[in-house]
Amino acid sequence: MAYTHYDRLTALDAAFLALEDANVSMSVGVVALFEAAPLRTDEGALDMERVRAFMEVVLQDTPRFRQRLHWTPGFRHPVWVDDPRFNLAYHVRHTALPRPGSIRQLKRLAGRVFSQKLDREKPLWEMWFVENVEEDRLALIMKAHHCMVDGIAGIDLLANIMRPDSDASVPSAKPWIPRPAPTERRLFVDECLHRARLPLSLAGAGLRAVRHPMEALEEVVEGARSIADTLTVGLQPTAGTPLNPELGPHRRFDWTGCDLKSVKLTKRLAGGTLNDAVLAATAGAVGRYLRQRGEDTRDITFRAMLPVNVRTAAQQGKPGNRVVNFVAELPIDERDPLKRLSQVVDTTRELKRSRLVRGAELREELSDRSSDLLVVRLVQLAARQRAFNLIVTNIPGPQQPLYLLGAKLQAIYPLVPLFENQGLGIALFSYDGGLYWGFNADWDALPDLHDFVEFVDEELAVLNRAAAAKSGKAAGKRRRRAAPA
């Protein structure tokens, strides 16, 4: 039999494809800023030939980025197959801002890039290298479909691109030979066998139940409770707010940054975790933003969805999604920053003790063996019912400087996609002593996104000062706010 190759998408990966429509774009991304000089030719232009030669080397360790989607006959389940027409120049692109190239212009460009859908006939990713950024910098706008990567997998790709030193050498890339895709018959038979494993698993569980009835009963009850907990979260609507409009197709992207040390100092002085401090500042900003819009924030339910990485050691460095989504109610009407932080800490501790992780895993396993529609419908239901008002995701990154062909990475701002009825998503990335915030918003619904970002800056400072005053310590420093989007 001739050698062929394909990779099957999990139910969760496939769900991110099914959720995309005319107004919902399921791409994750980053905007990264580098020193420009090390990447220039002798004539002063960006050396794209060297950049693309380096990317050829990088892709040797990330085969998913040379694969495109294919669909199994009958079941229409997506799989990855090597793209025999792969063209690196299509994916690694070169553009420039009009001089002098302000940060505001870069944010507008990023918003337009993130608004555009990826072509499903090609590998689902793009890199835009942007020249003429003020202060002699180069920007990288990167996006990839969420069915390929979650935040952690995306960082693994960036880790392959970056180096911990300023070495600018480009080794020779090995020739790439695409692996043949299987026949339609093979895909159909394999999918039938895959789905047949569910009744076989149930039969095995039945045999174990006969031998150990009490243990089996306990396992079934616990599993049912876990799934029930995850379903209950999706059926409890939150308040309708200006942050939850009917979504349009266009995006604006803004960002800010703060010293990671100051946020860690805050959580150490006031209690909780780094994520708790982030959520407390976010809750304060949401409350101020809604009140500025004329909303009454008393006695309303406002929740954030918090994606949590559940990768095992064996899954590190692999593409795809390995996340479970917690949903936490935020105390947006609490004006005292320390009381707000305390309430957040209580909420997140309760979530960590819940059955939601196990319930989400069981739900995805059941969907993976039967129908992808289970995950899709549950996510759609959660969005339409407004089970959450916004997403806040925090991705840990390296705490040492990184370089791209000798150019130091100065800042990196992540992007999380927007679901139906969700006008704002917040993603954070920690790197080299900084905590970088990226804000993805609906263009029409949030023309005042810059006000929200300013509120986040101010709430971080207020929380830091309150924690310092409580303990008698000096408050940390703030990073300079960039131009509004």
Side-chain angles (χ1 to χ4, degrees), residues 45-210:
L46 174 62
D47 193 346
M48 280 303 297
E49 184 176 344
R50 186 159 63 102
V51 169
R52 289 194 176 110
F54 181 62
M55 286 303 302
E56 289 278 10
V57 178
V58 169
L59 293 185
Q60 293 176 163
D61 297 322
T62 51
R64 178 72 78 247
F65 285 74
R66 282 190 174 117
Q67 293 180 309
R68 62 176 178 84
L69 291 171
H70 189 70
W71 306 88
T72 58
F75 295 98
R76 290 291 297 169
H77 185 88
V79 298
W80 296 110
V81 297
D82 287 358
D83 183 5
R85 297 182 297 175
F86 177 78
N87 182 354
L88 184 66
Y90 173 85
H91 297 275
V92 181
R93 305 181 178 189
H94 181 197
T95 189
L97 299 177
R99 294 185 185 277
S102 69
I103 290 296
R104 185 172 189 180
Q105 288 173 319
L106 177 61
K107 290 177 178 179
R108 291 292 174 92
L109 174 62
R112 288 196 296 274
V113 170
F114 291 140
S115 298
Q116 298 164 1
K117 301 287 194 307
L118 291 159
D119 185 349
R120 292 195 178 187
E121 298 299 315
K122 299 181 181 296
L124 296 177
W125 64 281
E126 294 173 1
M127 283 184 173
W128 295 69
F129 286 87
V130 186
E131 289 192 86
N132 298 343
V133 181
E134 65 183 30
E135 299 180 10
D136 196 29
R137 288 179 291 180
L138 171 82
L140 168 61
I141 303 173
M142 177 181 172
K143 66 175 183 177
H145 202 284
H146 212 337
C147 72
M148 288 181 64
V149 295
D150 57 17
I152 298 298
I155 296 311
D156 289 338
L157 172 67
L158 285 174
N160 288 334
I161 297 173
M162 308 295 178
R163 292 172 173 168
D165 55 53
S166 57
D167 178 16
S169 63
V170 180
S172 298
K174 299 176 184 177
W176 178 70
I177 301 175
R179 296 161 293 187
T183 64
E184 297 293 276
R185 177 177 177 173
R186 160 84 186 281
L187 288 172
F188 179 78
V189 171
D190 283 359
E191 189 65 20
C192 289
L193 293 173
H194 178 85
R195 294 176 185 243
R197 294 190 187 111
L198 177 61
L200 291 175
S201 298
L202 293 175
L207 182 60
R208 289 193 300 273
V210 171

Side-chain angles (χ1 to χ4, degrees), residues 257-264 274 397-402 408-412 429-436 477-479:
C258 60
D259 287 314
L260 183 61
K261 186 182 296 185
S262 68
V263 183
K264 287 184 174 180
L274 176 70
Q399 292 309 302
Q400 70 276 357
L402 296 178
K408 183 180 179 181
L409 173 63
Q410 297 180 338
I412 179 168
F429 184 73
S430 54
Y431 162 69
D432 193 26
L435 186 60
Y436 297 93
K477 297 179 180 179
R478 291 178 61 194
R479 294 201 169 198

Side-chain angles (χ1 to χ4, degrees), residues 419-462:
F419 291 88
E420 183 180 357
N421 292 329
Q422 182 202 352
L424 174 65
I426 303 173
L428 299 95
F429 184 73
S430 54
Y431 162 69
D432 193 26
L435 186 60
Y436 297 93
W437 301 59
F439 302 85
N440 185 25
D442 182 274
W443 177 267
D444 297 307
L446 276 79
D448 50 358
L449 175 62
H450 53 279
D451 287 345
F452 184 88
V453 180
E454 287 286 355
F455 290 151
V456 167
D457 279 337
E458 292 166 10
E459 287 297 329
L460 284 168
V462 167

